[in-house]
Structures are given as structure tokens and as C-alpha cells.
Amino acid sequence: MFLDDLYHALNPIAFALGPLTVRWYGIAYLLGFVCAGVVMYRTARRWKLDLTADDVFSIVIGIVFGVIIGARLFYVIFYGAGYYLSHPLEIVATWDGGMSFHGGLIGAIVGGSIVCHQYHISVPTVCDLGVIGAPLGIFFGRCANFVNGELWGKPTDLAWGVMFETGGNVYRHPSQLYEAVLEGLAIFVALWALSRRRPPRPQGTFMGAFLALYGVFRFLVEFVRVPDAQLGYLLGPVTMGQLLSLPLVIAGVVILVLAHRAQRPQVGYLEGGPSSQA
């Protein structure tokens, strides 16, 4: 089994420099933010927006802090099952794992919006730019989950099943890779293709499409993914991941409808920004 051989050949630690160990999980986050920034900048240029490389860099920094804080807090609150109430010092131990996509999404919007308000940049347009590149970060992150042998799926007899070290003596769905392909590559390709139209589609189009597609894909993959041990199934076969994904689908559809009705063009700086003062 190719994927099983690949998993056992990989080491979660990419390299070590003396006492410092660098894990693929950390590299995945770094690659994700860098790629998202590049995609945001290139798309802004193609849309002929007046955003500079420094603007995009500042926004990405805000997003980085928002993602890390939001993803960790969301995991602690919704997936911690009370564990962190008795171990509060472990809340900051992000190196031990435990990050929530849903919280990271909220954190990214908040962090990016703070920077946008400081620079008088359009928040809806930046959200659209950000979600075009975000799936690449999801792709790298899910690949790192595979390398770490975490978030694996249910038992399977399919040829690509993987026997994870922490998953018992049974071959399982590599659900991390399913998510990497669907939530990462598939959404990126769809949004990137959509972004190449000029003039660009109205504000909200890309955010709405991203939320709807991610929610649907995540909901489907959860059927073959084992839920977090401390939570299990919440309502029959429904998991926390599915419960949190349904609002994303609804929000995505609503945003798409509103975007189609409003037809607001993509813009860079708002009134009072650098370009309006030139």
C-alpha cells in the first residue's frame, strides 16, 4: 500500500538544530501563509487594485496572529471538553496540537480586518483575496496532519488504507489527505479560476463560495473521519466538525446571494486611504 509505506517513511520532525526541532506542522503553517500572501498580491494586481506589497504583508501578519489565536481558543472551547479548565497553562501549548479551522477562520477575518481599518482598505475585498489563497494553507496543514498521524479516519479495506501508529492494528481512511485534496486543492483551483475573470466578480463572491464549498466538503469527509476522542458523536452520527460546518454552508449561500444582488465592485483603498490623498 503506497500511502501506508509513505506514512511510515515520513518523520514528523523535519530537521533539528541543536536543541531546536522543526516539525513539518510548523513548516506547513509557514508555507500556507507565504503562499496565501503571494496569491493575494498577484490577484490584487490582476484585478488592478491599488494595494502595495507592504499592504498585503501587513494584512497577512494580522491574519497570522488572528489564525493562531482564534484556532487555538476555538479548539479549547469547543473541542477541549473541559480539559483546559483544569489545565489552563496548556492553553498556550500549541506545539502539542489542537487547532480548529473554524476558529482560525474567524481569527483571520478579525486580524485582517483590524489591519484593513488601520490602512483604510476594503475589508470585503481583502476577505475575497484571502480566501483564494487560504486553501493552499489548508492543503499544507492537512498534509502535516497526515505526517503527524493524527485526525485519521475510520477502518477501511480500500487499497490506500493506512495503519497509523496511534490508530491501532487496523488500516484506516487517510482522511487528512481527503481533506487536503477537497478543502485544499479543489477549492483553490475553483476560486483561482473564478478570480481570473476581469472585471472581477463582485465583493463577497469568493468568500461566499469558499464558505459553502469548505462546509460541504468538511461535512462529507467527517463521515469517514473519527471524531475527537474526548467528544465522540454529538447527535447520532453527527460530529462537532459537521455541526460547525453547517453554519458555514448557510453563511456562504447567504453571502453569495447578497453579493449577486449588491454587485459591489472590488476596490482597494477606501475614502481616506493613501490613494485618495494622493
Side-chain angles (χ1 to χ4, degrees):
M1 295 185 178
F2 170 73
L3 289 180
D4 185 64
D5 292 338
L6 176 64
Y7 165 71
H8 289 287
L10 295 171
N11 189 330
I13 298 177
F15 60 89
L17 296 173
L20 176 66
T21 58
V22 178
R23 303 176 67 90
W24 286 112
Y25 196 73
I27 294 176
Y29 263 78
L30 177 61
L31 283 175
F33 289 129
V34 170
C35 290
V38 171
V39 170
M40 289 176 66
Y41 179 66
R42 289 178 62 87
T43 304
R45 291 188 62 185
R46 188 167 62 253
W47 289 357
K48 299 187 182 304
L49 304 180
D50 47 2
L51 299 179
T52 67
D54 287 341
D55 292 331
V56 174
F57 179 77
S58 298
I59 293 169
V60 170
I61 293 299
I63 291 174
V64 167
F65 281 101
V67 166
I68 295 174
I69 296 172
R72 184 58 174 176
L73 289 181
F74 215 80
Y75 181 86
V76 168
I77 295 171
F78 289 95
Y79 291 90
Y83 173 81
Y84 294 97
L85 291 177
S86 54
H87 303 82
L89 294 180
E90 294 189 28
I91 292 177
V92 298
T94 56
W95 51 86
D96 289 333
M99 305 287 276
S100 165
F101 164 82
H102 302 84
L105 174 63
I106 295 173
I109 294 173
V110 172
S113 296
I114 292 174
V115 177
C116 287
H117 284 301
Q118 291 177 334
Y119 287 85
H120 301 282
I121 296 173
S122 170
V123 172
T125 288
V126 167
C127 285
D128 277 348
L129 290 172
V131 296
I132 296 172
L136 293 177
I138 297 175
F139 171 77
F140 291 126
R142 293 310 185 193
C143 288
N145 291 146
F146 175 77
V147 175
N148 286 349
E150 59 192 4
L151 306 181
W152 25 259
K154 297 177 181 178
T156 180
D157 56 2
L158 295 173
W160 55 81
V162 178
M163 188 177 295
F164 295 98
E165 292 182 1
T166 57
N169 190 30
V170 61
Y171 288 99
R172 296 181 176 276
H173 283 284
S175 53
Q176 316 96 324
L177 300 184
Y178 299 168
E179 292 185 84
V181 172
L182 293 174
E183 302 165 7
L185 294 182
I187 295 181
F188 171 72
V189 170
L191 296 185
W192 177 256
L194 197 65
S195 74
R196 299 191 65 81
R197 173 183 171 180
R198 291 195 327 194
R201 296 179 185 272
Q203 287 183 341
T205 300
F206 299 89
M207 174 59 84
F210 173 80
L211 293 177
L213 288 173
Y214 179 89
V216 169
F217 288 149
R218 177 65 182 271
F219 189 90
L220 294 176
V221 172
E222 286 284 326
F223 283 115
V224 296
R225 173 177 161 177
V226 175
D228 292 68
Q230 70 273 20
L231 293 179
Y233 294 96
L234 302 181
L235 301 170
V238 178
T239 67
M240 177 63 80
Q242 290 175 317
L243 198 62
L244 294 175
S245 294
L246 286 176
L248 296 185
V249 178
I250 296 172
V253 172
V254 170
I255 291 174
L256 281 172
V257 171
L258 294 178
H260 178 72
R261 290 179 178 176
Q263 291 293 314
R264 293 191 178 92
Q266 302 287 358
V267 296
Y269 294 110
L270 302 174
E271 186 67 27
S275 64
S276 66
Q277 298 172 359

